[in-house]
Amino acid sequence: MPSSSPRPLAVVGGGIGGLAAALAAARAGRAVTLVERAAQFGEIGAGLQLAPNASLALDELGVLADVRRNAVLPPRLVMMDAVSGTEVTSLDLRGSAYTDRFAHPYLVTHRTDLHAALLAACRAEPLITLRTGLTVTRAEQDGDHVRLSFAEQDEVLPADAVVAADGLHSRLRRALTGEGDPVCSRYVAYRGAIPTGRMTGRMSRAAADEAVMVWAGPAMHLVQYPVRRGELYNQVAVFRSDSYTPDSDDWGTEAELERRFATACDAVRDALPLVARDRRWPLYDRPPLQRWAYGRIALLGDAAHPMLQYLAQGACQALEDATALGRALRELPDAADAFTAYAARRTERAGRIQTGAHLFGELCHLEGMGATMRNLALAHRSPADFDDLAWVWTPAPDTVAAPAATASIGAPA
Ligand code: FAD
């Protein structure tokens, strides 16, 4: 339902969450101005897993076919023991048990490809204005509107309401909640995608297999999967640093990476030299937040639910946020009402996934007897058994559009 406000809805942040939110709001008939602090829109050079809840959201936003064109549909999701090199458990992502349960595909994509698809859709949408090089410093609510101030200029942007999609370190969230910094997990990631052509032997065969491989080891793991139609291979090496200190960046170094992975099997050791080392990514989250809507300002994406990446759901949840927000804006003309409805639909589910991501990380990083028990417990699990993950991969019913969306899993888009 279009708003009667002469002012646009402002979205702060042009990451995956912000672009998806802008698109969803425009599809609900709202004029949107999106402001991004970077001089140019972009994403980092690494991969992203998109579970069926995310591909459903992309379908609702009308960009699934575009994303799918450059993505890979992995046949299997495999957990390996990183020390013994043996398979712990796997899921068949293309078989009938999957397709009977999930109407949408499990995709792996390069972040740039997903971001570019969302950006292209935003650029093609007449109701969306995109602005870069603007860092929001303040959002002041004033009766029926919000005024946004920027670091780069004196101009104030009056907005009907504001969606804060400004990421993990969200300035707007801190201003609204009074919280401090996100919580550092003491784990760090090294990640990036390399041309598949650079790989030989075992690595090359792994890439050709197209599976998502999760090598779980003591306080470390390695994730591997192909992206961009198989032309690139994404690798993420994650480990706990023993030298973490809150006041320094001198922890989680490359030397520690080598030491932590020293006990890994040959397949993991072969892969390590090809893991990107140009930047280290400390991993943060926050406990679930009960309140996402503050009058005419609402939180979305990592700003609302920063989570550890172990369930590969941060971006998936941001996409779910966007479609839930779009639905609320379609139903309720007043943005503050729509924000309240959106938050009511999303907080509990996203909070459970934040908590679940923590637990799954612990399961991955078990050592000694704990790892042995995990492997035994999972040994007889069928590749067709999705019971443990179905709740994560299935949005709550009132966040799903009716009728159900259109994608099919088998045929390439
Ligand atoms: P961001 O991507 O952080 O975007 C925020 C944007 O806001 C940025 O463009 C920033 O420049 C802008 N901004 C910030 N402050 C301001 C301001 N004051 N004014 C204007 N603009 C501002 N998720 C998955 O679903 N699947 C995965 O496989 C997966 N793997 C991951 C692996 C790792 C190692 C990590 C660390 C995360 C992973 N995630 C994954 C999580 C996912 O990357 C994030 O949840 C997602 O990218 C968050 O998107 P966002 O748009 O909310 O935030």
Side-chain angles (χ1 to χ4, degrees):
M1 188 179 292
S3 153
S4 56
S5 170
R7 304 179 191 93
L9 181 84
V11 175
V12 180
I16 291 162
L19 290 177
L23 205 51
R27 301 272 198 261
R30 307 287 169 129
V32 179
T33 298
L34 182 147
V35 288
E36 163 58 46
R37 70 178 168 194
Q40 287 177 345
F41 288 105
E43 253 288 353
I44 62 156
L48 204 56
Q49 299 180 57
L50 296 173
N53 56 319
S55 44
L56 166 63
L58 291 171
D59 197 13
E60 286 182 48
L61 293 170
V63 293
L64 179 60
D66 203 8
V67 173
R68 206 171 144 157
R69 200 165 296 123
N70 292 312
V72 172
L73 272 74
R76 291 178 309 137
L77 184 52
V78 186
M79 181 189 269
M80 303 289 290
D81 186 306
V83 177
S84 68
T86 52
E87 183 169 319
V88 177
T89 185
S90 72
L91 285 171
D92 176 359
L93 299 175
R94 291 194 196 151
S96 58
Y98 179 95
T99 51
D100 287 350
R101 195 145 188 180
F102 307 103
H104 286 74
Y106 196 104
L107 302 174
V108 284
T109 181
H110 198 281
R111 283 168 182 266
T112 309
D113 297 340
L114 170 61
H115 193 270
L118 290 168
L119 186 58
C122 285
R123 287 195 166 128
E125 174 54 70
L127 282 172
I128 299 179
T129 303
L130 297 171
R131 298 183 65 182
T132 52
L134 287 176
T135 308
V136 172
T137 52
R138 252 180 112 174
E140 279 176 287
Q141 304 204 44
D142 189 359
D144 65 351
H145 69 285
V146 185
R147 289 200 307 265
L148 286 181
S149 309
F150 305 102
E152 293 81 0
Q153 61 184 43
D154 292 336
E155 175 203 333
V156 168
L157 178 75
D160 177 33
V162 171
V163 176
D166 49 344
L168 168 69
H169 296 284
S170 171
R171 185 192 286 249
L172 293 180
R173 173 171 170 154
R174 282 183 221 221
L176 291 164
T177 63
E179 293 165 302
D181 292 333
V183 182
C184 184
S185 67
R186 299 171 182 234
Y187 275 78
V188 68
Y190 285 80
R191 58 177 165 168
I194 53 164
T196 312
R198 272 181 58 196
M199 295 172 356
T200 54
R202 187 175 8 221
M203 289 276 294
S204 167
R205 288 193 295 280
D209 183 49
E210 295 195 333
V212 175
M213 305 296 290
V214 181
W215 299 84
M220 52 87 156
H221 75 265
L222 174 76
V223 179
Q224 303 173 304
Y225 52 85
V227 293
R228 194 163 295 156
R229 303 176 301 274
E231 291 160 20
L232 297 173
Y233 199 57
N234 184 65
Q235 298 202 101
V236 189
V238 172
F239 64 97
R240 190 181 65 224
S241 169
D242 289 334
S243 56
Y244 168 79
T245 49
D247 307 322
S248 148
D249 280 342
D250 194 21
W251 60 274
T253 60
E254 274 190 73
E256 267 190 273
L257 168 78
E258 297 295 343
R259 280 202 299 279
R260 183 63 79 182
F261 280 83
T263 56
C265 64
D266 288 348
V268 173
R269 303 265 338 135
D270 281 0
L272 276 194
L274 295 174
V275 170
R277 310 284 179 100
D278 49 337
R279 185 170 162 189
R280 75 189 233 304
W281 303 83
L283 300 170
Y284 300 89
D285 71 349
R286 288 186 188 275
L289 180 68
Q290 306 307 320
R291 185 172 173 201
W292 294 7
Y294 298 78
R296 307 191 84 75
I297 306 178
L299 304 175
L300 183 140
D302 274 8
H305 45 68
M307 62 183 73
L308 296 174
Q309 80 287 6
Y310 304 126
L311 282 175
Q313 276 289 315
C316 300
Q317 289 303 304
L319 293 167
E320 274 193 36
D321 294 343
T323 52
L325 177 70
R327 219 162 354 269
L329 288 167
R330 206 170 297 127
E331 289 161 7
L332 297 159
D334 183 70
D337 294 341
F339 285 175
T340 304
Y342 148 75
R345 288 170 187 174
R346 291 289 303 139
T347 45
E348 190 191 335
R349 171 166 162 74
R352 279 184 72 204
I353 291 176
Q354 275 175 287
T355 307
H358 244 294
L359 295 174
F360 192 71
E362 283 166 26
L363 186 76
C364 251
H365 298 143
L366 287 170
E367 44 196 300
M369 185 56 80
T372 306
M373 298 296 286
R374 173 198 65 205
N375 294 356
L376 282 172
L378 293 174
H380 301 294
R381 200 164 146 278
S382 158
D385 179 356
F386 293 94
D387 285 349
D388 294 337
L389 281 167
W391 71 273
V392 178
W393 292 358
T394 312
D398 65 358
T399 62
V400 180
T406 51
S408 70
I409 289 166

